[in-house]
Amino acid sequence: MEEKLISHQNMISLVSDLIKANHLVIGQDDKSIGWKRIADAAEIKINHSGIPSNVSYKEFVFAKTEPIFYYKNKKDDFDLVEPNLEERKIVFLGSKPCDARSIEIMSKVFNWDYKDKFFNQRAENSIIFGVACNYQDEFCFCTSVGLTPTTENGSDIFLVPLAENNYAFRIVTDKGKDFIKPYEKYLSDGNSNLSTEALSKIKHPEKRFESEKVRKWITGNFEHKLFDKVGETCLGCGQCAFVCPVCHCFDIVDEECNYSCGRRMKNWDACQFGLFTLHGSGHNPRDNQGKRYRQRIAHKFKYYTDKFDEILCTGCGRCSRGCPVGIDIAAVASEINFVANQV
Ligand code: SF4
Ligand code: SF4
């Protein structure tokens, strides 16, 4: 890891050059609602001490909706047309550690039995400028899922805010090193003592539960009434999945135009929707909200961990902050941890 220094003014110049080089620079919007393409470098906002945006940036690697292919019927045949894939580099600027890990975590499922070229190409083109996070509220729980506000893992470049509008500029990966080479004029020599001191002052959220205990408890308590209790409140709105940096379920739908042509679309979906598991026969194996919520918890803390050795949650707290009925995923996991400790 190499450490440099960059001023905020030079960061603006760097971003300006990235935009001119036709890279897609994605930054947080002014109101912390979501992420957007930065058209003017003067607009950049590196949110190290504010609330995480309501919505993560996953839509830039895993699109909300996109065509997989187009088709055109001919008399005895048909033509398939592949959509063009985005070729440009995608620079995520100011990603808190709970977002920076998201692409690596999702890569496991998108390269499991089938390699998703849409996700993979964008992931490969992504450069993540992470930033140490100096924010926490009652919904943050990164330390319960193996991260901290200062985790560099997941970032290619890691920024540490210093005095006088400067940032320590830590080059974490070879990908980051290669990417930044043409722009080294904006960097000066760093002082790791300063950044280490700044990082040591960042408060970490208290650990709220042991994820391994949650994983083991789910294995033997599939029918536990705790899930029914949460299900009585859950509206099945799917907000929690859509804002999540690592939820990745999608549906595939064919859209026709007058029987002669059409397109096959891939659209975000969510396990909290009743239709998600509804069979063509009318049978629904998850026929109530308790079972659907159990799926959400089990997928995040058991199935994904069993299969990929990753927790499908970065502790960002978005799903809980935004839940219209106040369901807090960390509180549910903490309750499971408490119940597990009683046996
Ligand atoms: S946001 Fe809340 S109410 Fe909506 S599906 Fe998720 S847990 Fe249920
Ligand atoms: S499950 Fe909730 S807390 Fe965990 S990563 Fe997704 S949105 Fe964040």
Side-chain angles (χ1 to χ4, degrees):
M1 200 266 300
E2 205 178 332
E3 175 143 347
K4 298 283 186 185
L5 187 83
I6 190 167
S7 64
H8 190 72
Q9 195 50 48
N10 274 358
M11 185 69 83
I12 292 174
S13 303
L14 167 63
V15 170
S16 180
D17 280 8
L18 297 178
I19 294 169
K20 280 186 208 142
N22 202 28
H23 298 319
L24 207 50
V25 181
I26 305 299
Q28 207 172 295
D29 66 29
D30 285 343
K31 295 186 177 153
S32 288
I33 292 172
W35 294 72
K36 63 172 188 178
R37 180 178 174 192
I38 304 286
D40 175 359
E43 295 171 19
I44 62 169
K45 174 183 172 190
I46 296 179
N47 178 20
H48 55 86
S49 57
I51 191 166
S53 53
N54 294 355
V55 179
S56 77
Y57 56 62
K58 76 175 170 194
E59 65 182 289
F60 292 96
V61 280
F62 167 42
K64 285 178 187 162
T65 178
E66 68 181 334
I68 300 172
F69 57 76
Y70 299 89
Y71 61 88
K72 194 164 182 190
N73 292 333
K74 297 197 287 200
K75 191 161 176 285
D76 299 312
D77 201 1
F78 58 88
D79 287 330
L80 284 187
V81 180
E82 301 265 344
N84 292 328
L85 292 180
E86 176 65 64
E87 301 267 320
R88 287 178 293 179
K89 292 270 183 234
I90 311 172
V91 180
F92 292 104
L93 191 65
S95 170
K96 289 174 183 275
C98 54
D99 279 333
R101 276 285 282 128
S102 63
I103 295 178
E104 282 180 350
I105 294 174
M106 284 190 292
S107 286
K108 299 278 170 69
V109 72
F110 283 120
N111 287 285
W112 163 42
D113 57 347
Y114 178 78
K115 301 208 180 311
D116 186 304
K117 64 181 177 190
F118 301 93
F119 176 89
N120 282 334
Q121 175 141 342
R122 294 183 191 121
E124 182 54 35
N125 285 343
S126 295
I127 302 288
I128 298 169
F129 281 53
V131 67
C133 173
N134 205 357
Y135 173 87
Q136 59 176 278
D137 62 19
E138 69 272 31
F139 298 113
C140 293
F141 60 97
C142 58
T143 47
S144 303
V145 290
L147 296 175
T148 75
T150 61
T151 298
E152 294 175 1
N153 192 2
S155 297
D156 296 300
I157 307 284
F158 192 71
L159 304 170
V160 183
L162 301 174
E164 295 168 5
N165 249 344
N166 289 319
Y167 294 92
F169 192 98
R170 294 183 160 191
I171 303 169
V172 182
T173 63
D174 289 343
K175 191 180 184 185
K177 189 174 179 174
D178 291 345
F179 180 76
I180 210 63
K181 222 171 193 41
Y183 309 103
E184 277 175 341
K185 63 184 173 191
Y186 296 121
L187 308 177
S188 51
D189 287 341
N191 178 345
S192 60
N193 291 336
L194 290 181
S195 59
T196 304
E197 193 191 337
L199 289 173
S200 71
K201 289 183 182 155
I202 292 181
K203 219 173 139 213
H204 292 203
E206 207 176 303
K207 196 166 179 178
R208 294 182 63 185
F209 57 87
E210 297 285 341
S211 60
E212 184 53 18
K213 280 201 174 148
V214 174
R215 187 184 75 80
K216 284 192 176 142
W217 182 87
I218 292 168
T219 307
N221 293 280
F222 201 62
E223 301 293 344
H224 199 279
K225 59 181 188 243
L226 187 146
F227 298 116
D228 299 327
K229 195 177 82 180
V230 186
E232 280 169 16
T233 317
C234 177
L235 304 173
C237 65
Q239 181 272 161
C240 46
F242 288 176
V243 299
C244 177
V246 287
C247 272
H248 52 259
C249 289
F250 59 85
D251 190 18
I252 292 180
V253 179
D254 282 355
E255 295 179 353
E256 269 186 335
C257 59
N258 69 28
Y259 303 105
S260 63
C261 61
R263 57 184 187 171
R264 179 159 293 177
M265 300 296 290
K266 180 170 141 195
N267 305 314
W268 281 8
D269 204 347
C271 60
Q272 299 307 289
F273 296 150
L275 283 178
F276 186 77
T277 45
L278 182 64
H279 295 183
S281 65
H283 171 65
N284 193 339
R286 292 189 210 132
D287 56 1
N288 64 51
Q289 214 51 40
K291 290 180 184 169
R292 291 170 205 138
Y293 197 80
R294 176 182 65 200
Q295 169 62 22
R296 178 164 179 76
I297 292 284
H299 192 193
K300 293 197 169 288
F301 297 107
K302 177 175 165 50
Y303 306 145
Y304 209 80
T305 310
D306 288 351
K307 188 150 195 73
F308 301 121
D309 199 23
E310 290 274 13
I311 302 169
L312 190 60
C313 171
T314 64
C316 70
R318 285 187 175 97
C319 56
S320 309
R321 272 184 215 100
C323 177
V325 292
I327 295 173
D328 177 353
I329 193 168
V332 175
S334 304
E335 192 175 344
I336 290 176
N337 196 155
F338 176 79
V339 175
N341 282 339
Q342 306 307 302
V343 269

